[in-house]
Amino acid sequence: MPESNGKRIQSIDFLRGVVMVLMAIDHVRVYSGMPAGGPTAGIFFTRWITHFCVPAFVFFAGTSAFLYGQKVNNNKQLSRYLFTRGLLLVVLELTLLRFCWTFNLNYADFMLAGVIWMLGWCMVLMSVCIWLSPKVNGIIGLLIVVLQQCFRFVPEIPPQQWQKSFDWFWAFIYPTGQEGHAGIAVLYVLVPWIGVMMLGYSFGMMMLMEPAKRKKLCHWIGGISIALFIIIDIVMYLVNPGDDKRAVIFHLLDQQKYPPSQLYLLMTLGPLILLVPFAEKVNGKIAGVFTMFGRVPLFYYILHIPLIHLLALGVNFIREGNFHQDWYGYAPFTEIEKAHRWGLPLLYLVFIIVEVILYFICRAYAKYKGNHPEKAWLKYI
């Protein structure tokens, strides 16, 4: 990555660290049994604030790929890195992370194609896309995001004799409405996320601009994205309010995440881009904590799932005299009876404990990683 201006790296690390912390809230929510969203503001916004996490991961992964390419100045090396790291993420999702979510070895019964799976395959695809110019990546990425629904109809293209087999493959690319895979839950498809990563790669060009110009462009892009979200969202609500009995604000902010709709991405990426200039100027101890987390995102991710899982078992034992590991056999898809769910105060208490523990472990790892640049394997984790 360019080293002429450390703040450029800090802005990405800081924002990535912030969303890593927010992500942990949602995963504590999973083990608490609390449903995603709800009729009360506390439950709704506990889920809603975490919507910024995956768009930030994917978008800034593209930006980081561009900046790493500028550092090494070698497309072959960059392509090889993205390809190998992407495959590593896929393997981790299907093995270690799958076990950490569920604490069981019955892989034949349940597998998860989650966010790390998606990030991995997007990196593999980016290992090819980086041979295109950043501008072309941006244009193609934008088209994928805007026209994503077109991918739903690809399996219907002849020849019909191999359509069924193709449906099985395409379910990992974009939802088709067909029956899912037996034994595997496809939580994150590749479209439009690969488009978001390509947009992030193109955004990397802005990180090389003069600060004043970069700030202006971030404000324009972020502001326009937010304005488009508000205008389109309100118009769509007025045209078709439906029978949703919740408050209007809940309806407007409750956008489709699986797969992410255009409004969902405008709602999340707009503020993230708008905040980049601000993130370049943050300082202090608290900002330093977020920045440190953002420097070791995969290490943080790998650790936080089993840590939350273990703490959840402990909380269950204290509250009910039983670990209730059976509740988490298909995590992150948990269904816990209402009487056994945690309340928000307990959820946030466990979240704070998680972050304190992760802080000390991640700080030690970040220090080790910084002191040993000669160890090539460290750049993968």
Side-chain angles (χ1 to χ4, degrees):
M1 295 182 182
E3 299 178 358
S4 59
N5 187 345
K7 291 183 179 179
R8 297 177 186 173
I9 308 305
Q10 173 182 295
S11 63
I12 296 175
D13 286 341
F14 173 78
L15 290 173
R16 188 159 47 199
V18 170
V19 297
M20 295 296 292
V21 170
L22 293 178
M23 172 194 64
I25 297 175
D26 193 46
H27 292 165
V28 174
R29 178 198 61 78
V30 166
Y31 286 94
S32 75
M34 186 174 294
T40 67
I43 297 174
F44 179 87
F45 285 105
T46 290
R47 169 63 168 171
W48 180 82
I49 193 64
T50 66
H51 282 327
F52 292 87
C53 300
V54 178
F57 298 158
V58 179
F59 186 80
F60 289 130
T63 304
S64 296
F66 174 86
L67 295 175
Y68 182 69
Q70 294 296 303
K71 178 181 178 180
V72 300
N73 196 28
N74 185 318
N75 270 4
K76 287 185 178 180
Q77 183 176 340
L78 173 60
S79 180
R80 182 168 58 251
Y81 170 72
L82 290 171
F83 184 81
T84 54
R85 190 162 193 256
L87 290 182
L88 171 65
L89 294 182
V90 171
V91 172
L92 282 174
E93 180 78 271
L94 298 179
T95 55
L96 177 62
L97 294 174
R98 154 60 180 74
F99 174 78
C100 291
W101 277 112
T102 64
F103 282 179
N104 72 63
L105 296 173
N106 190 3
Y107 286 82
D109 182 53
F110 172 67
M111 291 292 291
L112 177 68
V115 63
I116 301 300
W117 158 283
M118 175 270 291
L119 275 169
W121 284 119
C122 284
M123 284 186 178
V124 170
L125 293 174
M126 281 302 303
S127 70
V128 177
C129 294
I130 57 104
W131 294 98
L132 303 172
S133 71
K135 290 183 179 180
V136 172
N137 267 282
I139 294 170
I140 296 175
L142 184 61
L143 289 174
I144 290 173
V145 169
V146 173
L147 303 176
Q148 58 173 282
Q149 281 81 6
C150 296
F151 286 83
R152 185 181 189 279
F153 304 104
V154 172
E156 298 178 12
I157 300 175
Q160 296 296 320
Q161 57 266 27
W162 52 271
Q163 183 176 331
K164 187 174 182 180
S165 299
F166 188 72
D167 279 346
W168 187 93
F169 162 78
W170 201 253
F172 292 102
I173 308 299
Y174 197 79
T176 61
Q178 302 299 317
E179 186 176 347
H181 303 280
I184 184 167
V186 183
L187 190 58
Y188 287 92
V189 288
L190 302 189
V191 173
W193 292 116
I194 180 57
V196 174
M197 190 173 287
M198 295 172 79
L199 285 170
Y201 185 82
S202 180
F203 181 78
M205 293 188 300
M206 292 176 55
M207 303 304 290
L208 303 181
M209 297 177 178
E210 291 299 318
K213 185 176 182 180
R214 181 170 61 252
K215 179 180 179 180
K216 183 178 181 180
L217 283 174
C218 285
H219 285 173
W220 271 104
I221 295 173
I224 290 174
S225 298
I226 294 171
L228 283 174
F229 164 72
I230 293 173
I231 294 170
I232 297 173
D233 197 16
I234 291 176
V235 169
M236 290 182 66
Y237 175 75
L238 293 175
V239 171
N240 182 25
D243 57 357
D244 196 335
K245 304 302 181 182
R246 298 176 300 172
V248 174
I249 187 66
F250 290 175
H251 179 91
L252 295 176
L253 294 178
D254 190 13
Q255 299 300 322
Q256 176 182 299
K257 182 179 180 179
Y258 305 107
S261 66
Q262 294 88 341
L263 282 176
Y264 177 92
L265 293 173
L266 284 172
M267 178 182 72
T268 52
L269 288 177
L272 287 168
I273 293 172
L274 191 67
L275 286 173
V276 168
F278 164 78
E280 294 175 352
K281 299 178 180 180
V282 295
N283 52 56
K285 291 184 178 180
I286 295 178
V289 171
F290 289 124
T291 301
M292 181 272 294
F293 283 146
R295 288 173 181 161
V296 291
L298 182 57
F299 184 77
Y300 178 106
Y301 190 94
I302 292 173
L303 283 183
H304 92 287
I305 296 175
L307 177 58
I308 293 172
H309 194 157
L310 287 170
L311 288 173
L313 296 178
V315 168
N316 293 340
F317 187 79
I318 292 171
R319 296 177 75 223
E320 309 198 20
N322 191 314
F323 292 113
H324 283 300
Q325 164 57 27
D326 54 300
W327 290 347
Y328 309 125
Y330 295 94
F333 305 101
T334 57
E335 293 185 8
I336 300 175
E337 292 182 7
K338 190 174 182 179
H340 300 288
R341 296 170 187 170
W342 307 355
L344 282 177
L346 180 55
L347 186 158
Y348 279 98
L349 174 61
V350 173
F351 159 70
I352 292 171
I353 294 172
V354 168
E355 293 308 315
V356 171
I357 295 173
L358 287 175
Y359 168 74
F360 290 103
I361 300 175
C362 289
R363 184 180 66 173
Y365 178 72
K367 182 177 180 180
Y368 178 81
K369 187 174 182 179
N371 290 337
H372 296 278
E374 76 282 359
K375 296 183 183 295
W377 65 270
L378 289 173
K379 69 182 180 181
Y380 285 86
I381 298 178

